[in-house]
Amino acid sequence: MSEAFPPPPEANPDPRPKPAPNVSSGTAASPGTPTTPAVSEWDVDDLKAALNSVRQNVAIAIVGLIVVLASVNVLLFHQLAFLNTQVQEMLRSQKQMAGFLEDHRTNGAPYYVRFMEEMDQFGRTHPDFAHVLARYPRFQLPELPPGMTRPLLPGIDTPAP
Amino acid sequence: MKKSSPWSGVLLAVLVLSVLVNIALCYQYMKLVGIARRGAVFTRTLQEKVERANQDRAVLQAIAVESLKYARTNREMFQVVQPFFPTFHQLGINLNSNTPAAGTQP
């Protein structure tokens, strides 16, 4: 019975992995070293074709990315220009409104308050006019800070220049 | 072995440049959005103040017109209002009607 079967393969006493076969020099095999199967020309051509394909794909991907990024950049540039115009417009409007408010605070409001004081004083001695005054709301002017004296109004408190 | 094409280097350089431009544009955009957002709040506050000032002005104009009407029959009132005439003229207060003066809204 034992002669009918081939002998079992010998177990490899050295568990270290074998060195990788030299692909570029598949025919150089020195006596004494284990022979490795040579890489055929067909395999090399296949690898070259695969490498070229990968190169082409990477180039296409990069070109696509550049196109997408350029489109996003153009869009962002237009948005920036639009937003910049709006911000400039808003700043101009703010400047205009601040100028108006400053003029109101320094030139308008003191006269408003003074005129209302005169009218209130007149209304105390003339009740019929006090009824007229009562129809209108009071001014919403801010109070003067403590310690600040009211400026003299030219033309009313002092003679007009 | 075939060397890599010089175009690949150019493509990579263009890609890196595009990314840098993109980052710069995004930074500018976010900066402007922040300015616009803060400015919108400030503009709203200013608009409310301007609205209040215009209301005060309308009230002043209405009271001035009423006082002038009253002054037709009361000389004492005329003497009280008279010093304010140059001021009304200077402030653009229209004493001929009850409508607010045009152009008060900046």
Side-chain angles (χ1 to χ4, degrees):
Chain A
M1 287 290 286
S2 64
E3 290 103 6
F5 293 97
E10 292 179 9
N12 191 3
D14 186 9
R16 286 178 300 175
K18 289 181 180 177
N22 192 356
V23 175
S24 59
S25 58
T27 53
S30 57
T33 57
T35 58
T36 56
V39 178
S40 67
E41 279 298 317
W42 189 86
D43 288 340
V44 172
D45 289 343
D46 207 21
L47 282 174
K48 281 181 180 174
L51 185 62
N52 282 333
S53 172
V54 167
R55 270 187 183 152
Q56 278 182 357
N57 286 340
V58 168
I60 288 169
I62 289 177
V63 169
L65 268 177
I66 288 171
V67 169
V68 169
L69 274 175
S71 306
V72 171
N73 283 348
V74 169
L75 186 73
L76 268 177
F77 187 77
H78 279 286
Q79 283 291 317
L80 262 180
F82 179 67
L83 194 60
N84 196 31
T85 309
Q86 280 194 327
V87 166
Q88 294 303 323
E89 183 71 27
M90 187 185 67
L91 292 179
R92 202 176 306 126
S93 166
Q94 278 180 3
K95 199 174 169 185
Q96 215 172 354
M97 282 194 283
F100 171 79
L101 286 174
E102 181 63 20
D103 183 60
H104 173 71
R105 194 176 67 83
T106 55
N107 294 328
Y111 287 103
Y112 291 10
V113 173
R114 185 61 196 271
F115 182 71
M116 275 313 283
E117 283 173 0
E118 294 284 339
M119 292 296 107
D120 283 338
Q121 198 174 348
F122 188 82
R124 277 187 217 114
T125 54
H126 297 78
D128 50 341
F129 188 71
H131 285 300
V132 174
L133 274 184
R135 293 207 306 257
Y136 296 99
R138 296 282 98 177
F139 293 131
Q140 304 171 27
L141 300 172
E143 295 281 335
L144 279 176
M148 187 174 174
T149 56
R150 204 170 46 196
L152 295 177
L153 302 180
I156 296 172
D157 293 325
T158 61
Chain B
M1 190 80 176
K2 183 184 170 187
K3 283 188 178 177
S4 61
S5 164
W7 284 106
S8 59
V10 174
L11 282 179
L12 276 177
V14 171
L15 180 67
V16 170
L17 197 67
S18 296
V19 169
L20 289 180
V21 170
N22 194 270
I23 289 170
L25 284 174
C26 281
Y27 175 72
Q28 281 291 326
Y29 188 77
M30 296 309 291
K31 211 165 99 174
L32 271 180
V33 164
I35 291 174
R37 199 171 288 166
R38 284 193 300 274
V41 176
F42 186 54
T43 302
R44 206 172 302 133
T45 310
L46 280 179
Q47 274 173 348
E48 286 169 5
K49 286 182 180 173
V50 167
E51 204 172 317
R52 278 207 296 271
N54 280 327
Q55 281 174 3
D56 288 346
R57 185 192 181 86
V59 169
L60 178 78
Q61 179 165 337
I63 293 175
V65 170
E66 290 284 355
S67 63
L68 275 183
K69 279 183 195 168
Y70 195 83
R72 283 178 196 155
T73 56
N74 191 313
R75 186 165 178 77
E76 201 180 340
M77 169 60 101
F78 186 77
Q79 284 171 353
V80 171
V81 179
Q82 197 181 14
F84 287 94
F85 284 167
T87 306
F88 291 152
H89 180 71
Q90 186 187 343
L91 295 177
I93 302 288
N94 182 14
L95 297 176
N96 295 321
S97 71
N98 264 326
T99 54
T104 53
Q105 180 81 27

